[in-house]
Amino acid sequence: MTPRWRFSLSAAPLRWLFFCLAFVVPLSPAAAQSCGAHGVTLQVLGSGGPELQDKRASSSYLIWQDGRARVLVDAGGGSALRFGESGAQMSQLDVILFTHFHVDHSADFPALIKSSWFEDRSRPLPIYGPPGNDFMPSTTEFVSDFFGPTRGVYRYLSELLAPAEKGSYKMQPHNVVAGQSPVVVFRADGLSISAVRVIHGAVPALAWRVELAGKVIVFSGDTNGDGEGLPRLAAGADLFVAHNAVPEGATGVERRLHMPPSVIGQIAAAAGVKRLVLSHRMLRTLGKEAQTEAEIRKHYSGPLAFANDLDCFPSD
Ligand SMILES: [Zn+2]
């Protein structure tokens, strides 16, 4: 075996490898962002519920405007990874909204905040969510239970919350007490954000309406659909994100917590929404899309989509 012969044998596959690599586009964060470059766009970070076997991140959504991630709604488990995959930066966010504090809507919040520590953010980060009760913390408690300087689980990051400490920026949590009529809670830089209270068992819960550049995106959060607040909040929405957590015919605790497809259809029709996005998909609703759509179609005839993680929905 001569050295020359050995070289030519190994060089051929190497040349082929270099040839192939020439056509591979590196996945830089900028290249990974394929959503929201123009106009107002909803990106679904987490389209699943609490079950890990659905192979989806839990509930979380981003609203993009012209390439900038402006609003984050919920931060369920897995959403921090999806946030990174989306190409968004925590420093871009104007506000974080929580619908409620079940694990599948809030568990990745500290991971997102820790990541933000490495970014160049200097302006405050407002955080809005429901008030508390005997079962659930309020939004201010939720944030301070993680980051409060004396008893917070992650008090080593208290500089991002405690006014007296020197940090690059501060979180500003607020408790939103809302009823059945939409109440505006945030208005800045072209954003107008309002909420109503929704019924989700004994858990204080909100639905959110985000208005931006003439577009309206509404999030039901988890709710059984009772009350007049949600159809009012969703009136005329360009996109209505409704949670498809239970199938038609659900009873007992499932039905007390969540709205079946027929109720989603009724609310979408009553509100006259322009497009319906079904998310918070669970093992009990996955695979039943045809039945779900048929129930919704008895009431609502507009465009309808079943969401998957990282899907983009332009508001136009
Ligand atoms: Zn949920």
Side-chain angles (χ1 to χ4, degrees):
M1 187 184 290
T2 66
R4 182 181 171 79
W5 182 76
R6 279 210 310 270
F7 175 78
S8 61
L9 184 68
S10 58
L14 267 179
R15 274 200 299 272
W16 177 244
L17 180 65
F18 287 131
F19 177 80
C20 293
L21 283 175
F23 292 93
V24 174
V25 178
L27 258 183
S28 70
Q33 185 194 323
S34 55
C35 183
H38 304 288
V40 176
T41 301
L42 163 75
Q43 185 163 30
V44 177
L45 297 183
S47 62
E51 302 150 305
L52 303 178
Q53 293 74 20
D54 62 20
K55 298 183 174 62
R56 294 161 185 271
S58 299
S59 190
S60 187
Y61 307 97
L62 262 185
I63 296 177
W64 291 91
Q65 184 183 25
D66 298 335
R68 180 176 150 207
R70 299 202 58 187
V71 180
L72 178 71
V73 180
D74 282 348
S79 63
L81 175 62
R82 295 285 184 254
F83 188 95
E85 289 173 328
S86 80
Q89 303 280 325
M90 284 295 290
S91 56
Q92 296 171 325
L93 292 179
D94 290 89
V95 62
I96 295 178
L97 310 174
F98 282 105
T99 60
H100 64 294
F101 293 113
H102 273 157
V103 167
D104 60 314
H105 296 255
S106 62
D108 269 10
F109 172 68
L112 289 162
I113 295 301
K114 176 58 192 177
S115 183
S116 79
W117 191 85
F118 294 94
E119 295 183 22
D120 186 18
R121 185 183 183 100
S122 55
R123 62 192 170 123
L125 177 57
I127 299 165
Y128 293 87
N133 63 11
D134 289 346
F135 304 103
M136 302 298 288
S138 67
T139 303
T140 52
E141 285 173 327
F142 176 79
V143 174
S144 64
D145 285 353
F146 280 121
F147 299 108
T150 52
R151 300 194 60 81
V153 171
Y154 302 123
R155 50 188 173 269
Y156 78 103
L157 294 172
S158 62
E159 67 180 57
L160 298 178
L161 182 63
E165 297 182 30
K166 188 168 164 40
S168 56
Y169 79 93
K170 301 290 181 196
M171 290 179 270
Q172 292 182 335
H174 305 273
N175 302 329
V176 175
V177 179
Q180 296 292 299
S181 295
V183 53
V184 177
V185 300
F186 181 86
R187 226 194 272 272
D189 297 327
L191 274 169
S192 178
I193 297 176
S194 48
V196 295
R197 176 176 177 246
V198 290
I199 306 304
H200 184 44
V203 177
L206 300 171
W208 287 104
R209 176 185 178 103
V210 178
E211 300 182 29
L212 178 59
K215 302 298 179 185
V216 177
I217 303 177
V218 173
F219 302 87
S220 73
D222 286 1
T223 176
N224 66 5
D226 285 356
E228 293 304 309
L230 186 52
R232 282 182 194 153
L233 189 78
D238 295 284
L239 294 169
F240 176 44
V241 182
H243 283 185
N244 180 213
V246 295
E248 199 66 25
T251 57
V253 67
E254 290 183 8
R255 180 63 186 90
R256 286 199 295 280
L257 290 174
H258 296 290
M259 52 188 174
S262 58
V263 173
I264 293 174
Q266 288 165 24
I267 293 172
V273 304
K274 295 178 186 144
R275 189 173 187 189
L276 175 61
V277 176
L278 296 163
S279 189
H280 203 291
R281 305 170 68 188
M282 296 181 62
L283 297 181
R284 57 202 183 200
T285 53
L286 286 163
K288 294 182 179 168
E289 287 75 14
Q291 179 202 346
T292 296
E293 181 165 0
E295 291 294 337
I296 290 171
R297 287 290 178 227
K298 293 176 183 174
H299 308 278
Y300 171 76
S301 57
L304 175 161
F306 289 90
N308 295 309
D309 287 12
L310 295 175
D311 276 356
C312 288
F313 296 95
S315 58
D316 304 312

